[in-house]
Amino acid sequence: MDQFKNIGVIGRMGSAKVVESLRELKRYLISNDYHVIIEEETATMLPGHSLQVASKKLLGEICDLVIVVGGDGSLLGAARELAKSKIPLLGVNRGRLGFLTDIGPAELEEKLGKVLAGDYIEETRFLLDGFVERNGQPLGFGTALNDVVLHPGKSTRMIGFDLFIDGHFVYSQRSDGLIVATPTGSTAYSLSAGGPIMHPKLDAIALVPMFPHTLSSRPIVVDGKSEIKLVVGETNETYPQISFDGQMNISCAPGDIIRITKKPFKIRLIHPTDHNFYATCRDKLGWASEITAG
């Protein structure tokens, strides 16, 4: 019996390249007798597809595998929606970077065939949950695979906030904000702010200040089980925002408390067997591939 008999498909909207790969994917899966369920928004890009259609939530309940066609952002969105279902995700890259979506369009059938035959690597990645409180009452909640970010929104003013880790006061800071990143997110926004690259297997969280007022403010890496608490300074003249993977924003007021912890559910990522984190870094970050002779 096939391990992945019922296969869900999610595609990034508004891309001709994604539609091209979706058609190829549909043709390949159906010709190999897989049951294909297409996500409801994605289905609108394939008129006359004659496939079963389902919401993202339902995909998590009825599929053995979900294939995401797009870029890393598409996979991030699917991961946040499907984390509770524990369904493995496989990414086909039709975006730009592709740290998570590592099957290229030219090798789709070859690499997908190997994965479906059981020849693959599986890894888990943890997500972060963020809770915003105002006067002791819950104000908002979000989930991120990459990062939870406190930022000034459209304002150009610095934000004042206090940082606590596991109940211990760490510092008060004035800066453009703070990036709280997972190892997955360490090669995303956090990297551009000077944060460390963390191997995906690490159980750790990076706290990366954004343009801090003092040069002594440096990124801190803490245990993945830590509770991060941010208290927005009472004297702030601006109302900063908290964002989750750059998508969802919650407006905060002076005195609000943001609590960030590891989500209890992890996502499962499927990779071809030739997947290698350091090779991906070389490819995507432009690292030298060999020592040049002197």
Side-chain angles (χ1 to χ4, degrees):
M1 182 180 171
D2 289 315
Q3 183 181 0
F4 304 126
K5 185 61 184 171
N6 300 303
I7 299 178
V9 176
I10 299 173
R12 179 165 61 86
M13 301 297 291
S15 165
K17 289 181 178 179
V18 167
V19 172
E20 185 184 303
S21 289
L22 287 172
R23 286 186 179 135
E24 183 184 355
L25 187 59
K26 174 195 166 190
R27 188 169 56 246
Y28 177 80
L29 292 174
I30 289 175
S31 66
N32 286 277
D33 297 324
Y34 290 96
H35 179 216
V36 182
I37 305 108
I38 192 163
E39 186 267 333
E40 54 193 3
E41 284 191 354
T42 308
T44 63
M45 295 192 287
L46 292 177
H49 56 76
S50 70
L51 299 172
Q52 180 180 348
V53 177
S55 65
K56 283 195 183 82
K57 183 175 184 296
L58 189 56
L59 287 182
E61 295 172 9
I62 63 179
C63 294
D64 306 311
L65 171 72
V66 169
I67 300 174
V68 181
V69 182
D72 282 355
S74 305
L75 199 135
L76 289 173
R80 290 192 300 271
E81 293 264 2
L82 296 170
K84 281 187 180 180
S85 68
K86 301 179 182 176
I87 295 297
L89 301 177
L90 175 70
V92 175
N93 186 20
R94 295 297 333 216
R96 290 187 300 278
L97 265 180
F99 268 95
L100 301 170
T101 47
D102 50 4
I103 293 183
E107 54 195 10
L108 178 59
E109 289 193 14
E110 176 204 347
K111 292 205 169 178
L112 182 57
K114 289 181 179 178
V115 167
L116 295 176
D119 190 15
Y120 61 84
I121 301 167
E122 180 178 328
E123 64 173 357
T124 58
R125 303 282 183 99
F126 72 83
L127 301 93
L128 296 173
D129 280 338
F131 303 85
V132 182
E133 299 173 13
R134 181 170 298 164
N135 301 322
Q137 299 298 314
L139 178 70
F141 162 78
T143 295
L145 176 58
N146 268 353
D147 46 48
V148 180
V149 181
L150 177 69
H151 62 96
K154 294 178 180 177
S155 170
T156 56
R157 290 178 179 269
M158 283 190 163
I159 304 166
F161 62 90
D162 294 338
L163 169 66
F164 297 81
I165 300 173
D166 290 329
H168 300 286
F169 174 68
V170 181
Y171 55 56
S172 291
Q173 186 178 99
R174 286 188 60 75
S175 66
D176 280 3
L178 185 74
I179 302 168
V180 181
T182 66
T184 302
S186 71
T187 51
Y189 189 32
S190 168
L191 185 62
S192 66
I197 293 174
M198 298 191 288
H199 192 279
K201 288 184 179 177
L202 281 174
D203 183 11
I205 297 170
L207 309 175
V208 183
M210 298 161 62
F211 298 103
H213 193 61
T214 56
L215 293 176
S216 60
S217 292
R218 290 287 182 263
I220 304 173
V221 179
V222 300
D223 189 283
K225 292 181 283 294
S226 303
E227 184 200 56
I228 316 297
K229 184 173 84 169
L230 305 175
V231 181
V232 180
E234 295 278 5
T235 58
N236 277 324
E237 295 176 14
T238 60
Y239 280 52
Q241 296 187 332
I242 193 93
S243 69
F244 301 85
D245 286 344
Q247 296 297 312
M248 175 186 165
N249 284 290
I250 300 172
S251 291
C252 299
D256 284 359
I257 295 173
I258 301 119
R259 300 181 193 276
I260 302 164
T261 56
K262 185 198 290 185
K263 194 175 189 68
F265 309 101
K266 293 185 177 182
I267 65 157
R268 298 164 62 195
L269 285 184
I270 298 286
H271 300 287
T273 51
D274 61 356
H275 171 77
N276 178 287
F277 174 69
Y278 302 111
T280 304
C281 287
R282 280 198 305 275
D283 182 34
K284 308 302 178 186
L285 302 178
W287 291 355
S289 57
E290 60 182 308
I291 297 173
T292 53

